[in-house]
Amino acid sequence: MRTTLTTPSLLEGFEAWLAGRPERDQPHRREAHALLRDGGYPTRRHEEWRFTALGPWAESRSPSAPSTVATAGFRAFDVEGLEAIDLEFIDGRLASVPEIPGVKIVVLGSDLGPEERPANSSDSRGDVPALELLNRAWSDRGVLVEVEPGVKVNHPLHFRFLSAAGSSTFTQPRVHLRLGRSSEVKVLEHHRSAGESTATNLHFEVELEEGARLEHVQLTLLGDSAAHATNLRAEVGRDATYSHWNFVLGGRWVRDDLHCRLAGEHSEMRLMGLAVAGGEQMIDTHTRVEHGAEHARSIEEYRHVVDDQARVVFAGRVVVEAQVRDSDARQTNANLLLSPDARVNALPQLEIYNDDVKASHGSSMGQLDEEALFYLRSRGIDEATARGLLLWGFANSVVEQLEWPALAQLIQHEVQGHLGEILSLEEES
């Protein structure tokens, strides 16, 4: 069930904002806005949103113009030892277009490029999700990044998303990444905020043609009051491989919706995630992996460390369609609760419509292993250090699988910092 929108900033401000857009770009935006207005935002009565409130975050905000940020504002994005090609986004708008051999970058939905025609992606109910409609209607300028067939990009593409707008605004970045046949690239999608109360709603579309390979790391390092939503749509073609890593290490309210389809035979997908949550953080991850072709393989592993009054939601759905033979789908979710007030809602789900499949899923949650703590203490290790070792082992089991040394080192440093804060608070209490 959805509530009809009545927020003046979204209803009254849209036509005035749209008047400044190119005429060819207006019809699909107006259609998306009408659907959002009539359908409203999902409420807790909606199955996909029953643990998370969207309305209070989005309804009170209005679109923002890109902020003016000095180049120095991007220094926080630097990764020591990582030689990458930077694409810098300020409040959703690409600041400049780098020249990359074998890669075409086009600004969409503006006078600078062709009209954007959004894909008709939808959820299991057949309607377009509210956050996607929001992005379609209000996105400033989408960006198409296309890797030409056979091209192996020598350096990673570093998407630097800096949110700098004020607390009453939201930004709507939109990216379409397309890999041609037998192409290969690594992507770091990196989110930081210059202000505390920023809000971003990113739509990221990924398309892999036959034999393409993409390693995609999403790193969210936002301020304590920031809100962030990602709507990822990925389609993986024949013999193609897509790896997605999601590290959430900041932000007050974070929602990630990943809708991935294995569309070609022998396609492979790997989804990995780690979140460390404390205070009153809300981190909500929904994944949907569709096996739509024979001999496809998917692996999911998500881990969460939850402290204080933080709340984490993980809903992972795997769908193996009828007539799709020899599918292999595995999903695991592990949660470590460090406080009596910490909460996790885990919803692993399998939908299998044929018998020729290997599939497994499971979810676990609990506290640090007392026997393991006792063992370490018996070896002369003090309690704080012992707890730190166990926490680190739990979290690093995801990071250490990332075969990207410079980036893995940065993430390990950030994770250690967050775990150190948790241990310090425990000692104080």
Side-chain angles (χ1 to χ4, degrees), residues 272-294:
M272 307 287 289
L274 171 67
V276 181
E280 296 182 346
Q281 281 183 278
M282 176 69 198
I283 298 174
D284 188 348
T285 302
H286 279 61
T287 69
R288 179 182 174 91
V289 176
E290 297 176 351
H291 284 245
E294 297 182 350

Side-chain angles (χ1 to χ4, degrees), residues 171-299:
T171 59
Q172 307 289 331
R174 192 175 186 93
V175 176
H176 189 159
L177 176 61
R178 181 184 299 148
L179 273 67
R181 183 174 181 175
S182 300
S183 62
E184 187 173 334
V185 70
K186 287 185 174 182
V187 167
L188 170 56
E189 176 195 330
H190 194 166
H191 298 273
R192 289 184 182 265
S193 53
E196 285 296 314
S197 300
T198 60
T200 302
N201 177 34
L202 168 67
H203 181 86
F204 206 114
E205 197 132 348
V206 174
E207 182 182 350
L208 278 70
E209 295 183 358
E210 182 178 350
R213 297 178 63 87
L214 171 61
E215 186 163 12
H216 179 183
V217 178
Q218 179 180 337
L219 177 58
T220 303
L221 297 168
L222 297 171
D224 293 339
S225 301
H228 181 87
T230 294
N231 185 32
L232 173 70
R233 295 290 185 267
E235 183 167 304
V236 186
R238 181 185 179 94
D239 294 316
T241 302
Y242 178 46
S243 298
H244 181 270
W245 304 73
N246 189 13
F247 298 99
V248 182
L249 303 171
R252 172 65 178 81
W253 186 99
V254 179
R255 167 88 180 206
D256 289 301
D257 283 278
L258 288 72
H259 188 156
C260 306
R261 181 171 178 81
L262 294 164
E265 292 185 5
H266 300 284
S267 55
E268 295 187 8
M269 180 179 298
R270 188 182 189 192
L271 303 180
M272 307 287 289
L274 171 67
V276 181
E280 296 182 346
Q281 281 183 278
M282 176 69 198
I283 298 174
D284 188 348
T285 302
H286 279 61
T287 69
R288 179 182 174 91
V289 176
E290 297 176 351
H291 284 245
E294 297 182 350
H295 315 296
R297 182 170 181 257
S298 66
I299 297 175

Side-chain angles (χ1 to χ4, degrees), residues 10-24:
L10 287 175
L11 297 180
E12 298 174 5
F14 179 74
E15 288 298 331
W17 180 83
L18 189 63
R21 308 294 307 174
E23 289 187 11
R24 63 181 181 178

